[in-house]
Amino acid sequence: MFRLDADPALLRETEEQRQLRSVLRDFLAETCGPEEVRKQADSPRGHDEVLWHRLAGEIGVHGLAVPEDYGGAGGTFAELAVAMEETGRVLCPAPLLSTVVLAGHALLDSGDRQACARWLPGIADGTLTATVAGFPHPGGVTAEQGAGGWVLRGEADFVPDGAGADLLLVAARAPDGERLFACEPDPATCERTARRVLDPTRRQALVRFRGAPAEAVGDPGRAPDTVSGVLDATRAALAAEHVGGSAHALDAVLAHVVRRTQFGRPIGSFQAVKHRLADLLVEVEGARSAAAYASACLAGRRTEELPVAASAAAVACTAAYRLATAEYVQLHGGIGFTWEHSAHLYLRRARADEALFGTGDDHRLRLAGLLGLTGRTG
């Protein structure tokens, strides 16, 4: 039975979180404008390595939710969610989702202290980029014992930031069942091909393993729970990103309808426009609440409630982002329909993210199962 009676106080920001938001917003306003986003999206690496290291070194974003034992700040997911929202607001083209959320949580949730001690400090200080492969379905990759240890064979497609990551955490089928493996890719045994995707600010790749050396992470039998927990954490992080992107779209539209005039008056004064903006505000605030609840479940380790909270946030936040970006384009009129306008960067992010780790319809079905309305719970 799921308890959905979260204390409202858990959904409010602390003073430290407000300060973090303020610092990040000012920093990103100076370093990550639309032109810089486009430039980095077209670059070989896909992100500004100087910005990446500054986020880690000056603000400590990468280590916000990493325990102090592994070089982090020892905070909670609530602080990380603030960072995800602010980077989502500007579409920061950095592999935070793949490195800090996906890979970082995979290591922590694995319970493998040796693996955590080896790789989490590099994630926390920004010297290591990482991602996961074979999530949520490990069927394309198998692991077998070779002469020198475990090796991986097979392929995983649409791996987030898979072409450039220094470390891959791979869910694979082993003789004793599904397991998690760490692979430091070598071109000789791991072929990585960038995919052409809708959102150029969030790269994906096809990864082919051809006898790639790997190390087992965590105990046998633990991988399915690890994968499930990591995916829910990622859905919560995406929800926070979508709130940031939706809020930016709303702010940009409000600024435009105040400046743009028609028939001698601002277009924002027309009732039809007011109604659309009111509807959008309601959607964005609903998404903000859903994302905050999912983050609070992670921060408070309310694991029983997390699957419901994560899927509810995925439904609410993808819907809000879809509406926000559609209004961003349409209420800017003719200029909003040109690729050169920033609205299209957000439109592409919103549409592409809808297919990451389950669509809105997938999550509605999952919610129905979790709440006992159908037989489906996965």
Side-chain angles (χ1 to χ4, degrees):
M1 201 58 170
F2 293 96
R3 285 178 25 239
L4 302 177
D5 55 349
D7 181 352
L10 297 174
L11 308 183
R12 291 197 292 267
E13 282 189 347
T14 64
E15 180 58 32
E16 290 79 8
Q17 289 163 7
R18 281 192 288 272
Q19 291 176 5
L20 173 63
R21 183 182 301 282
S22 177
V23 168
L24 268 171
R25 188 166 298 184
D26 291 343
F27 175 81
L28 292 169
E30 295 175 1
T31 59
C32 204
E35 293 309 311
E36 182 64 20
V37 170
R38 289 181 185 274
K39 175 184 174 183
Q40 294 304 324
D42 292 334
S43 69
R45 183 71 169 172
H47 67 274
D48 183 350
E49 294 192 56
V50 173
L51 174 61
W52 176 252
H53 290 296
R54 289 186 68 189
L55 280 169
E58 296 179 23
I59 305 178
V61 168
H62 305 50
L64 284 171
V66 174
E68 293 180 2
D69 289 349
Y70 304 124
T76 71
F77 190 89
E79 286 74 44
L80 180 57
V82 171
M84 299 307 295
E85 182 178 338
E86 291 305 312
T87 54
R89 178 181 281 270
V90 298
L91 298 184
C92 181
L96 279 171
L97 184 73
S98 55
T99 298
V100 177
V101 182
L102 282 164
H105 276 79
L107 287 168
L108 286 170
D109 289 0
S110 74
D112 190 326
R113 293 184 60 84
Q114 184 175 349
C116 287
R118 179 173 176 181
W119 287 297
L120 279 177
I123 288 177
D125 67 18
T127 58
L128 180 75
T129 59
T131 190
V132 301
F135 286 45
H137 305 298
V141 183
T142 59
E144 59 190 53
Q145 286 280 8
W150 288 102
V151 294
L152 302 177
R153 301 188 187 279
E155 65 181 42
D157 207 352
F158 297 104
V159 176
D161 297 303
D166 303 315
L167 175 70
L168 303 175
L169 291 161
V170 187
R173 290 182 292 109
D176 54 353
E178 181 181 340
R179 294 195 66 174
L180 188 66
F181 295 88
C183 173
E184 295 177 326
D186 184 320
T189 56
C190 185
E191 177 187 336
R192 301 188 281 177
T193 306
R195 287 295 200 189
R196 185 177 181 183
V197 291
L198 179 63
D199 176 15
T201 68
R202 175 161 280 151
R203 297 190 175 188
Q204 299 179 55
L206 169 64
V207 181
R208 291 191 174 96
F209 300 97
R210 306 185 187 279
E215 296 182 25
V217 175
D219 296 329
R222 183 161 180 164
D225 288 340
T226 297
V227 169
S228 179
V230 169
L231 290 176
D232 278 334
T234 305
R235 288 157 185 150
L238 274 175
E241 274 196 0
H242 294 170
V243 169
S246 299
H248 163 83
L250 177 59
D251 290 345
V253 169
L254 285 171
H256 176 73
V257 300
V258 168
R259 293 192 307 266
R260 181 79 167 90
T261 60
Q262 238 177 12
F263 307 112
R265 55 191 285 197
I267 62 173
S269 66
F270 293 108
Q271 192 141 1
V273 174
K274 289 180 180 179
H275 286 170
R276 290 171 69 168
L277 292 175
D279 289 342
L280 178 55
L281 176 61
V282 170
E283 288 284 335
V284 172
E285 289 305 307
R288 190 183 303 279
S289 296
Y293 175 48
S295 295
C297 287
L298 276 160
R301 301 186 183 280
R302 301 161 73 103
T303 55
E304 184 182 346
E305 297 174 53
L306 177 59
V308 170
S311 281
V315 171
C317 295
T318 55
Y321 208 5
R322 170 183 276 272
L323 178 62
T325 53
E327 296 290 38
Y328 196 0
V329 170
Q330 292 173 16
L331 288 175
H332 272 80
I335 187 64
F337 284 85
T338 63
W339 165 237
E340 290 75 18
H341 197 279
S342 298
H344 283 264
L345 290 170
Y346 290 86
L347 182 69
R348 288 183 175 226
R349 170 66 69 87
R351 295 296 187 270
D353 279 1
E354 284 187 59
L356 281 178
F357 311 116
T359 65
D361 286 343
D362 290 333
H363 286 291
R364 289 183 180 90
L365 285 171
R366 186 186 187 215
L367 282 169
L370 289 168
L371 297 173
L373 302 179
T374 71
R376 176 174 174 175
T377 59

